[in-house]
Amino acid sequence: MSEWQKSDWRSKPRVQMPDYTDAAALNAVEAQLSNFPPLVFAGEARTLKQHLGAAGRGEAFLLQGGDCAESFDQFSADGIRDTFKVMLQMAMVLTYGAKVPVVKVGRMAGQFAKPRSAPTETVDGVELPSYRGDIINELAFTPEARIPNPQKMLQAYTQAAATVNLLRAFSTGGFADMSRVHSWTLGFTDEQEVQKYSEIASRIQDSIDFMAAAGITADTTHEFSTVDFYTSHEGLLLEYEEALTRLDSTSGKWLAGSGHMIWIGDRTRQPDGAHVEFCRGVLNPIGLKCGPTTTAEDLKVLMSRLNPENEEGKLTLIARFGAGKAGEHLPRLVKAVKEEGANVTWVCDPMHGNTIKSSTGYKTRPFDSVLREVRDFFGVHKAEGTIPGGVHFEMTGQDVTECTGGVRAVTEEDLSDRYHTACDPRLNASQSLELAFLVAEELSDLRAAQSTRQAG
Ligand code: PEP
Ligand code: CO
């Protein structure tokens, strides 16, 4: 086989990508992007791969989260800061449960292109092409807004670069204030919940106090004042991905310079399709969404194509089946992985299989379904003796009302209050933190079961 080229995907069947009408305009944008600096560096992608490898072995745990779709309109420093902050809080809670480092990866700085379930959308008898994310077209329901415009890739690049810049500053700026754990539960109102969470928060606080007494504080200890934070997005718009792909001079391998980790969506994982062809050639860690229609045969082909050297941390399998369905689908995929002796990191996305339409007409996700899918996921891995390596959420640091439920119960009627997502409904800050506490409990139980087994 001849060497992989970053343009090889062009000869493969492609789905979920726009048909740009102005080829000259598209070529000009691609040429410009090809001269821009990459947003991430090969060494960082390799380090993330090592961390994900550790998560696959149960020696770390992945927290991946952020917007369903980043938006040009809602782009702001405060928005980035708030999501970053909630993820750090969640990570601290998860670290407590997992007793291993939490690897933090944002759905940020490039999460602009969206696969859609239908190519067109009809409103009041008018049919227009679907919105496909701000990097492609516009949400407004007019014929002009829905025309794919290649210029938008330049704006996406600029926004992604500014986002990465801010994240890098936050990560080293001593932003993570570990000493305020208790105040995080102040948003909870239900008495029982407050008590439950404040117990964990108290124990975390005790550990911090103990360390402080021993002289280990943010002032003295690098680990307390800096965090590793990585970026990720769905590698959907391949013209953009190809234009940002660079040869890494150290290893002679190709780097997707658009983000540290890129994933393949549930609708674009055809083993012979364009997206798999692109992703198989880059050195970055790759995510692969696994849904109810993923067959064991396809998964085996995909694993050998996407991770031919069976590297640890190279391939993260992101399960998204829907509440109550992991038991039906996950075991066959776990078996396929075992049969191949493949190294993978199993992660749970409890969002994409749990989208429903509320009685008030909004696309939403019940918090209870999200939680149930996480529990199913842990349950199957426990039964199979395999390792739950992380979680993947659509979430924001803002106080939105997009998913129903949680301790500050968002009702179907509340959804219209602050429904801001450009695509799928996200957990708000309070729901995200609550979920972290619940996942931490699952992780604690798992640890307890493991140590009983080792002792017995
Ligand atoms: C997503 O992660 O935003 C997404 C579209 O997921 P999936 O491909 O699993 O449906
Ligand atoms: Co989504």
Side-chain angles (χ1 to χ4, degrees):
M1 221 187 339
S2 63
E3 284 237 340
W4 179 91
Q5 297 292 327
K6 60 184 174 173
S7 60
D8 284 350
W9 62 271
R10 291 176 188 265
S11 63
K12 304 280 179 178
R14 64 179 83 172
V15 289
Q16 296 284 348
M17 289 172 63
D19 291 317
Y20 290 107
T21 44
D22 187 343
L26 173 63
N27 291 340
V29 167
E30 290 174 303
Q32 231 180 319
L33 279 175
S34 304
N35 286 324
F36 288 172
L39 299 174
V40 300
F41 305 101
E44 298 168 341
R46 271 194 290 269
T47 307
L48 175 58
K49 207 190 287 180
Q50 283 169 8
H51 292 320
L52 292 171
R57 297 190 301 271
E59 294 160 16
F61 192 76
L62 171 67
L63 171 64
Q64 189 171 19
D67 286 329
C68 177
E70 286 174 291
S71 122
F72 292 170
D73 274 358
Q74 292 174 43
F75 177 47
S76 78
D78 287 0
I80 296 165
R81 179 201 59 204
D82 291 346
T83 300
F84 178 79
K85 193 166 133 190
V86 175
M87 283 188 69
L88 290 195
Q89 294 174 343
M90 295 168 80
M92 169 110 52
V93 172
L94 291 172
T95 305
Y96 174 82
K99 303 282 188 286
V100 294
V102 171
V103 186
K104 295 162 282 291
V105 179
R107 285 176 64 112
M108 286 170 132
Q111 178 51 21
F112 292 106
K114 298 309 298 174
R116 302 315 304 258
S117 47
T120 64
E121 183 186 354
T122 303
V123 176
D124 297 333
V126 181
E127 188 179 8
L128 291 178
S130 294
Y131 166 66
R132 293 188 172 276
D134 280 5
I135 196 172
I136 294 171
N137 58 6
E138 290 167 29
L139 188 56
F141 196 72
T142 66
E144 304 73 50
R146 295 296 170 91
I147 298 171
N149 177 355
Q151 293 293 329
K152 292 183 179 298
M153 284 191 246
L154 299 174
Q155 190 174 346
Y157 172 86
T158 305
Q159 181 166 324
T163 303
V164 169
N165 182 53
L166 202 56
L167 290 171
R168 290 186 191 282
F170 287 155
S171 302
T172 52
F175 193 82
D177 186 353
M178 286 222 205
S179 53
R180 296 189 61 240
V181 185
H182 252 311
S183 65
W184 301 346
T185 54
L186 293 181
F188 299 123
T189 46
D190 180 287
E191 270 307 306
Q192 254 186 329
E193 301 291 347
V194 170
Q195 214 197 337
K196 188 158 90 189
Y197 299 139
S198 64
E199 265 169 39
I200 297 186
S202 293
R203 274 186 255 159
I204 298 175
Q205 186 73 58
D206 279 352
S207 314
I208 290 169
D209 292 347
F210 172 76
M211 287 187 285
I216 304 165
T217 64
D219 294 336
T220 61
T221 312
H222 178 78
E223 277 70 23
F224 273 25
S225 55
T226 64
V227 283
D228 285 338
F229 196 93
Y230 299 92
T231 61
S232 70
H233 61 271
E234 178 171 351
L236 186 66
L237 186 59
L238 296 179
E239 285 93 349
Y240 178 81
E241 300 302 335
E242 179 189 330
L244 289 174
T245 296
R246 302 283 183 274
L247 197 60
D248 166 37
S249 51
T250 318
S251 64
K253 292 184 175 165
W254 292 96
L255 168 79
S258 59
H260 295 114
M261 174 186 193
I262 53 180
W263 76 83
I264 303 172
D266 193 46
R267 297 172 181 82
T268 51
R269 59 172 148 68
Q270 301 75 22
D272 294 314
H275 293 87
V276 169
E277 177 58 29
F278 177 79
C279 288
R280 80 177 181 87
V282 292
L283 67 85
N284 311 56
I286 298 295
L288 176 69
K289 292 288 193 97
C290 297
T293 59
T294 306
T295 62
E297 293 68 42
D298 274 0
L299 182 60
K300 287 182 181 178
V301 176
L302 287 165
M303 290 189 299
S304 69
R305 233 159 254 187
L306 293 168
N307 189 13
E309 287 161 33
N310 203 16
E311 273 177 278
E312 292 189 6
K314 172 72 196 182
L315 188 59
T316 297
L317 300 181
I318 309 170
R320 33 87 76 220
F321 302 113
K325 295 194 194 140
E328 184 187 338
H329 299 291
L330 191 49
R332 72 164 180 272
L333 302 183
V334 167
K335 185 160 167 265
V337 171
K338 283 183 189 164
E339 282 171 5
E340 299 301 284
N343 288 315
V344 301
T345 302
W346 280 110
V347 167
C348 174
D349 164 1
M351 313 302 293
H352 287 89
N354 291 310
T355 317
I356 57 165
K357 197 165 182 173
S358 73
S359 60
T360 47
Y362 286 91
K363 209 156 86 158
T364 190
R365 290 163 172 154
F367 186 82
D368 286 345
S369 305
V370 170
L371 177 60
R372 178 157 173 225
E373 182 159 358
V374 174
R375 292 208 163 117
D376 294 344
F377 176 81
F378 274 89
V380 170
H381 282 293
K382 194 171 170 196
E384 299 285 338
T386 42
I387 291 161
V391 283
H392 179 123
F393 301 133
E394 285 186 346
M395 48 162 285
T396 171
Q398 310 292 309
D399 186 21
V400 297
T401 52
E402 298 172 5
C403 294
T404 54
V407 287
R408 276 205 253 164
V410 174
T411 66
E412 295 206 338
E413 286 67 38
D414 295 334
L415 291 175
S416 61
D417 290 353
R418 291 178 304 283
Y419 195 94
H420 299 312
T421 183
C423 196
D424 289 337
R426 301 160 296 178
L427 300 165
N428 62 28
S430 159
Q431 290 167 329
S432 300
L433 197 52
E434 185 181 359
L435 199 59
F437 278 108
L438 294 163
V439 174
E441 279 177 15
E442 293 290 322
L443 282 163
S444 282
D445 291 351
L446 189 76
R447 297 279 309 180
Q450 279 167 347
S451 45
T452 317
R453 220 173 308 142
Q454 273 161 14

